[in-house]
Amino acid sequence: MKQKISLVALAFIVVLLSACSAKDSFEKVAESDYQWTGIAVSGEGRIFVNYPTWQLASPFKVAEIVNGKEIAYPSEEINNLFVCVQSVVIDKLNRLWVLDPANPQFKGVVEGGPKLYQIDIQTNDIVKIYNFPETVYTPTSYLNDVRIDTKDEIAYMTDSEDGGIIVLDLKSGSSWRALNSGCPAVLANLDGIDFKSTGKSKGITNSDGIELSEDNQTLYFSALTANILYQIPTSVLRDTMLVPEERCKEVSVLNNKNVPTDGMVLYNNSLYMADLPNESLWAFDLKTKEGRSFDFGTTIRWADSFAVGADGYIYFTTSQINYPEKERVQYGIYKFKPQ
């Protein structure tokens, strides 16, 4: 009897140790010779990516991944309309949004300014193009990420170069700079990021990652070169009677021990994002206000943008921004099942 109990106990210990030592896992979906940043996954599982106009020239601005291959989207002709696409997003109505900061190689916003494109993925046609007045962006602005409130038809965007949050009323087409660089929350608070593989960087990037709460009532955001996660009621951002200084007073700290991250995505009450210094991923539970590190047993070379698929997986791109070009491998799209 004692021997049987001992064997049962031993088996339990083995299972427990195996569970404790098990690493998180992810799988590769696609790879490319060209640097991509944004990713969007439709309700049918179609995958869209974008390629910023930075250093290495890409034949694509926006592409769809079909059978693991990149195909210009919606077409090669329309790709030529884009200047420097930084973000692609699928909203709850299964519409594709393409954010073009029109600032190639960060040399300044070109004539015509930034644009937000709405694309019907069923017909593959551009439905609408939103332009921004010069009161909303600066000559050096770089509109970085976007989220869509499909209930009130509002778009929220970050300016990662100058620091700021821009709001666009999709019904009227009017837009305004809701928060500007006078608000510390949209600015970097670190002098660089110390990557485990490549060392300390000197680059400074302001407000970057952005996400909406499930009810669209709260906007979460963070600067890239920062370790603080913020939140603000979207009603404050939408109130055009307020000035940026008044809105800034309504910003609150959600986590003052966050990880420097690029993009972020909400899934089951947790914000999933990059852990850039440790070249891994991080999740912040909005209920418990606790963070969790992932251990994939391998280096993730700058997880850039995230998207949730209808299959329950979270998809992300790697952009390898902290690596010299000669040390880069192929850029990847990966997916993992959040626990």
Side-chain angles (χ1 to χ4, degrees):
M1 184 67 177
K2 289 183 178 179
Q3 185 178 8
K4 183 179 290 187
I5 294 175
S6 297
L7 289 174
V8 171
L10 180 61
F12 176 76
I13 292 171
V14 170
V15 171
L16 183 62
L17 289 174
S18 297
C20 291
S21 62
K23 294 184 183 300
D24 298 298
S25 62
F26 64 92
E27 57 186 282
K28 182 179 290 185
V29 176
E31 57 187 18
S32 175
D33 293 330
Y34 304 101
Q35 185 181 41
W36 45 33
T37 52
I39 183 168
V41 182
S42 76
E44 304 83 9
R46 296 169 66 183
I47 299 174
F48 305 91
V49 289
N50 72 267
Y51 310 74
T53 307
W54 290 344
Q55 303 302 321
L56 182 64
S58 166
F60 312 101
K61 298 292 197 314
V62 177
E64 181 177 2
I65 306 299
V66 180
N67 297 323
K69 304 295 182 182
E70 304 148 283
I71 299 176
Y73 188 84
S75 65
E76 290 186 11
E77 181 181 7
I78 293 179
N79 254 238
N80 292 329
L81 294 177
F82 302 138
V83 178
C84 176
V85 178
Q86 176 60 27
S87 182
V88 288
V89 170
I90 291 281
D91 68 17
K92 292 178 180 178
L93 298 179
N94 214 30
R95 302 176 296 186
L96 177 65
W97 299 86
V98 175
L99 181 59
D100 187 343
N103 186 345
Q105 298 180 324
F106 302 99
K107 293 182 177 179
V109 178
V110 301
E111 185 177 355
K115 292 178 174 59
L116 179 65
Y117 295 82
Q118 180 191 337
I119 298 178
D120 184 330
I121 62 172
Q122 305 306 319
T123 64
N124 300 321
D125 292 326
I126 294 177
V127 175
K128 194 162 185 179
I129 303 174
Y130 293 90
N131 295 280
F132 299 88
E134 293 184 3
T135 53
V136 167
Y137 66 93
T138 73
T140 56
S141 282
Y142 194 88
L143 303 196
N144 193 292
D145 210 348
V146 58
R147 289 296 183 269
I148 308 296
D149 173 351
T150 55
K151 181 178 180 294
D152 292 316
E153 286 292 277
I154 298 288
Y156 300 93
M157 290 151 283
T158 50
D159 181 346
S160 61
E161 189 68 15
D162 294 332
I165 292 179
I166 292 166
V167 179
L168 166 65
D169 185 326
L170 298 171
K171 298 185 292 293
S172 68
S174 62
S175 57
W176 54 96
R177 201 171 183 90
L179 294 177
N180 59 27
S181 58
C183 184
V186 300
L187 300 178
N189 73 325
L190 302 175
D191 63 357
I193 298 174
D194 193 3
F195 296 89
K196 73 172 187 179
S197 295
T198 57
K200 183 75 172 285
S201 71
K202 297 181 180 178
I204 300 295
T205 303
N206 294 310
S207 48
D208 193 306
I210 191 173
E211 183 59 297
L212 276 169
S213 60
E214 189 62 34
D215 62 5
N216 300 314
Q217 297 305 303
T218 305
L219 188 76
Y220 310 110
F221 65 96
S222 174
L224 192 153
T225 318
N227 58 3
I228 303 177
L229 179 64
Y230 294 97
Q231 62 182 356
I232 185 173
T234 52
S235 58
V236 173
L237 297 173
R238 295 195 307 269
D239 190 343
T240 56
M241 299 302 292
L242 300 175
V243 296
E245 292 76 14
E246 292 173 311
R247 297 190 189 99
C248 185
K249 294 177 181 178
E250 301 302 317
V251 175
S252 61
V253 173
L254 183 56
N255 181 24
N256 62 4
K257 294 181 180 179
N258 210 57
V259 292
T261 188
D262 197 323
M264 64 182 72
V265 71
L266 178 64
Y267 184 81
N268 282 351
N269 292 306
S270 287
L271 287 170
Y272 290 84
M273 62 192 80
D275 179 349
L276 291 179
N278 293 308
E279 294 181 278
S280 187
L281 302 185
W282 167 270
F284 182 75
D285 191 310
L286 294 173
K287 287 186 175 180
T288 66
K289 302 298 188 293
E290 294 180 352
R292 179 210 163 187
S293 296
F294 287 78
D295 180 9
F296 293 107
T298 187
T299 296
I300 295 178
R301 292 175 163 234
W302 194 299
D304 197 296
S305 298
F306 296 77
V308 176
D311 56 4
Y313 281 83
I314 293 179
Y315 294 70
F316 65 93
T317 54
T318 56
S319 58
Q320 305 185 73
I321 295 172
N322 57 307
Y323 285 81
E325 286 191 20
K326 63 181 180 180
E327 295 179 16
R328 294 180 184 180
V329 296
Q330 285 195 303
Y331 303 91
I333 295 174
Y334 301 91
K335 68 177 183 178
F336 69 97
K337 196 85 166 183
Q339 301 301 317

